[in-house]
Amino acid sequence: LKGEDVNGLVSIALAEIMLDNRPKALAVAHNIWEIGGEFSLLSEIVYLYILMNLVLLDLASQMMRAKFEHIEDNLECFFHAIL
Protein backbone atom coordinates (compact mmCIF):
# COMPACT_ATOMS: atom_id res chain seq x y z
CA LEU A 1 0.00 0.00 0.00
CA LYS A 2 1.08 3.55 -0.59
CA GLY A 3 1.13 5.75 2.50
CA GLU A 4 -1.30 8.12 0.79
CA ASP A 5 -3.97 5.49 0.11
CA VAL A 6 -6.50 6.48 2.76
CA ASN A 7 -8.85 3.66 1.78
CA GLY A 8 -6.11 1.11 2.42
CA LEU A 9 -5.12 2.82 5.64
CA VAL A 10 -8.72 2.54 6.85
CA SER A 11 -8.41 -1.22 6.43
CA ILE A 12 -5.16 -1.21 8.41
CA ALA A 13 -6.72 0.84 11.23
CA LEU A 14 -9.67 -1.56 11.38
CA ALA A 15 -7.32 -4.54 11.49
CA GLU A 16 -5.39 -2.95 14.37
CA ILE A 17 -8.64 -2.48 16.30
CA MET A 18 -9.55 -6.11 15.65
CA LEU A 19 -6.09 -7.16 16.90
CA ASP A 20 -6.66 -5.07 20.04
CA ASN A 21 -3.74 -2.81 19.20
CA ARG A 22 -5.27 0.50 20.22
CA PRO A 23 -2.05 2.59 20.11
CA LYS A 24 -1.33 1.52 16.53
CA ALA A 25 -4.99 2.04 15.53
CA LEU A 26 -4.88 5.55 17.01
CA ALA A 27 -1.67 6.33 15.12
CA VAL A 28 -3.15 5.13 11.83
CA ALA A 29 -6.44 6.99 12.43
CA HIS A 30 -4.55 10.24 13.05
CA ASN A 31 -2.37 9.57 10.01
CA ILE A 32 -5.49 9.18 7.86
CA TRP A 33 -6.84 12.47 9.22
CA GLU A 34 -3.59 14.29 8.43
CA ILE A 35 -3.40 12.88 4.90
CA GLY A 36 -7.05 13.54 4.07
CA GLY A 37 -8.17 12.92 0.54
CA GLU A 38 -11.00 11.07 -1.08
CA PHE A 39 -12.62 8.09 0.60
CA SER A 40 -14.73 5.46 -1.05
CA LEU A 41 -18.20 5.44 0.53
CA LEU A 42 -17.49 2.22 2.42
CA SER A 43 -14.13 3.49 3.70
CA GLU A 44 -15.73 6.73 4.83
CA ILE A 45 -18.38 4.87 6.83
CA VAL A 46 -15.80 2.51 8.34
CA TYR A 47 -13.43 5.38 9.18
CA LEU A 48 -16.24 7.20 10.97
CA TYR A 49 -16.92 4.12 13.07
CA ILE A 50 -13.18 3.75 13.74
CA LEU A 51 -13.07 7.32 15.03
CA MET A 52 -16.03 6.67 17.29
CA ASN A 53 -14.58 3.36 18.50
CA LEU A 54 -11.30 5.08 19.39
CA VAL A 55 -13.24 7.88 21.13
CA LEU A 56 -11.92 10.49 18.72
CA LEU A 57 -15.27 12.20 18.90
CA ASP A 58 -13.96 15.64 17.94
CA LEU A 59 -12.73 14.25 14.61
CA ALA A 60 -15.90 12.20 14.12
CA SER A 61 -18.07 15.25 14.74
CA GLN A 62 -16.08 17.29 12.22
CA MET A 63 -16.60 14.53 9.67
CA MET A 64 -20.33 14.35 10.44
CA ARG A 65 -20.89 18.10 10.21
CA ALA A 66 -21.05 17.93 6.42
CA LYS A 67 -23.39 14.92 6.62
CA PHE A 68 -25.84 16.89 8.78
CA GLU A 69 -25.86 19.76 6.29
CA HIS A 70 -27.28 17.38 3.66
CA ILE A 71 -28.98 14.93 5.97
CA GLU A 72 -31.60 13.84 3.44
CA ASP A 73 -28.84 12.69 1.07
CA ASN A 74 -26.80 10.97 3.76
CA LEU A 75 -29.41 9.39 5.99
CA GLU A 76 -29.40 5.98 4.30
CA CYS A 77 -25.63 5.42 4.52
CA PHE A 78 -24.91 7.22 7.78
CA PHE A 79 -28.11 6.50 9.73
CA HIS A 80 -26.46 4.77 12.69
CA ALA A 81 -23.69 7.33 12.96
CA ILE A 82 -26.18 10.19 12.80
CA LEU A 83 -28.34 8.51 15.41
Side-chain angles (χ1 to χ4, degrees):
L1 289 173
K2 294 181 180 179
E4 293 81 27
D5 182 4
V6 291
N7 296 306
L9 289 173
V10 167
S11 297
I12 291 171
L14 181 59
E16 294 299 339
I17 288 172
M18 292 167 55
L19 293 169
D20 198 28
N21 191 350
R22 181 178 168 76
K24 181 69 174 179
L26 278 166
V28 175
H30 282 292
N31 189 29
I32 293 167
W33 190 265
E34 290 171 11
I35 292 171
E38 294 295 317
F39 290 95
S40 69
L41 178 59
L42 179 58
S43 289
E44 186 176 9
I45 294 167
V46 171
Y47 183 55
L48 180 60
Y49 282 104
I50 288 170
L51 293 175
M52 289 189 290
N53 182 281
L54 295 172
V55 195
L56 297 173
L57 302 179
D58 54 331
L59 300 180
S61 67
Q62 288 180 43
M63 227 177 133
M64 287 302 295
R65 192 169 297 129
K67 305 301 176 209
F68 277 110
E69 290 174 4
H70 304 284
I71 197 166
E72 63 279 347
D73 298 330
N74 295 301
L75 194 55
E76 183 177 341
C77 294
F78 294 93
F79 175 77
H80 291 98
I82 291 171
L83 183 62

